[in-house]
Amino acid sequence: MSLLKRIFRNKFFYLAVVLEIFSMFYPHMDTHYFWQTPLYYFSSADFLYFMLMPLRHGIGNLLLPFVAALPSAIFLAQNRRSKTDLLMNYRYGRRRFVLNQILGTAGGAVLAALLGLFLYTLLVAVASPWHQNIQYAWRNQYEGMPFLLLNYVTLMLTAITWSLVAVSLACFTINLGVVVGGTFLLHYLSSWLLSQVLHISQWSPMVLQAPDIFYNQSIGFMMGRLLCWVLFSLCIAIFCLNRCFSHMKE
């Protein structure tokens, strides 16, 4: 897992973790108590409230493409810029090259996204009381853990999807800005197209990433849509990585 070692040694991985944490803290930043007495601020409501608030009102949907692209997909563009992909051509066969890139890319994105969310969850769990009079129907059962677990899963699958989109873009350019910016643009445009043009918002990446607290439809259908996105992006990534490998051999 040399690619994963490179991920942990690279500043972009930690930047992605910081972005995920920032997306969770963002809704609190307009309150002066958050800056002056943060522990008192997080003790003013219960754990579930402070977990659901940023999931519903945060900017995680906008920052997710950056979180997904920064940790690992950027390495393929760096390899192509430095010509180290030629060495990979001799060291790995096609199948191993494609597999390593996909596993490293998806793994880096998932680790960054979930680590950022976990660190925020840990802080809120320590600083906030567990029982208040805030009720969200079934979401409040068992301290809201089933619903929060659902959010971890949806974030993980969404991160995988857009990390694979990012590595697909990296197959065509050595410009790191194009890789990261292009991932963000595709994420935003696909969400806008599905929600505003085709009016099938239930398929929108932004909608699927963070389920609404009032969502009362089938969770199975939600998971199915997320897996369709993963499979779609996986097919694109395999095609693009095979094409990239073929060009390296020329």
Side-chain angles (χ1 to χ4, degrees):
M1 286 294 180
S2 59
L3 187 57
L4 282 178
K5 292 180 180 178
R6 291 184 60 187
I7 290 171
F8 286 119
R9 293 172 182 171
N10 194 285
K11 60 183 178 181
F12 291 110
F13 171 79
Y14 300 99
L15 176 59
V17 175
V18 169
L19 285 177
E20 180 62 32
I21 295 174
F22 173 77
S23 73
M24 298 297 290
F25 277 117
Y26 178 79
H28 311 300
M29 291 182 177
D30 62 347
T31 305
H32 69 277
Y33 287 113
F34 170 79
W35 299 103
Q36 294 178 353
T37 54
L39 291 180
Y40 172 79
Y41 172 78
F42 281 108
S43 67
S44 62
D46 68 1
F47 167 79
L48 186 57
Y49 171 80
F50 282 116
M51 286 304 301
L52 296 181
M53 181 184 177
L55 290 172
R56 189 179 185 194
H57 301 292
I59 55 174
N61 283 326
L62 293 177
L63 293 183
L64 185 278
F66 299 102
V67 174
L70 284 172
S72 51
I74 206 168
F75 289 131
L76 185 57
Q78 288 176 332
N79 288 338
R80 298 184 67 235
R81 174 185 288 181
S82 63
K83 304 298 184 181
T84 56
D85 56 357
L86 297 176
L87 298 177
M88 295 171 65
N89 176 22
Y90 290 102
R91 185 176 180 182
Y92 303 119
R94 180 192 300 265
R95 181 177 299 178
R96 188 177 174 190
F97 168 79
V98 173
L99 181 62
N100 283 354
Q101 290 295 332
I102 288 176
L103 291 179
T105 296
V110 168
L111 284 173
L114 295 190
L115 179 58
L117 180 56
F118 174 76
L119 291 175
Y120 174 84
T121 303
L122 185 63
L123 171 66
V124 174
V126 171
S128 302
W130 283 81
H131 300 284
Q132 286 279 356
N133 58 353
I134 300 172
Q135 298 292 325
Y136 295 102
W138 69 272
R139 297 154 192 83
N140 203 55
Q141 297 177 16
Y142 307 105
E143 307 296 348
M145 290 301 177
F147 187 70
L148 295 181
L149 178 60
L150 174 64
N151 277 275
Y152 270 82
V153 174
T154 56
L155 178 63
M156 177 186 70
L157 294 177
T158 308
I160 291 174
T161 295
W162 294 100
S163 68
L164 294 176
V165 171
V167 83
S168 299
L169 291 175
C171 292
F172 297 94
T173 178
I174 61 174
N175 189 312
L176 306 183
V178 171
V179 173
V180 178
T183 304
F184 170 80
L185 187 62
L186 289 172
H187 178 267
Y188 181 83
L189 287 178
S190 61
S191 297
W192 174 81
L193 180 65
L194 290 167
S195 296
Q196 303 299 322
V197 179
L198 299 179
H199 302 292
I200 46 175
S201 59
Q202 65 270 24
W203 284 90
S204 167
M206 288 189 178
V207 172
L208 291 171
Q209 178 187 335
D212 192 279
I213 60 173
F214 301 110
Y215 180 84
N216 57 5
Q217 300 177 24
S218 170
I219 294 178
F221 284 147
M222 180 193 296
M223 291 295 104
R225 296 180 191 117
L226 281 164
L227 290 175
C228 285
W229 272 106
V230 171
L231 291 175
F232 178 66
S233 62
L234 179 61
C235 291
I236 293 176
I238 291 174
F239 171 81
C240 293
L241 286 168
N242 273 293
R243 178 184 180 278
C244 182
F245 183 87
S246 298
H247 281 217
M248 283 193 295
K249 293 182 69 67
E250 293 177 357

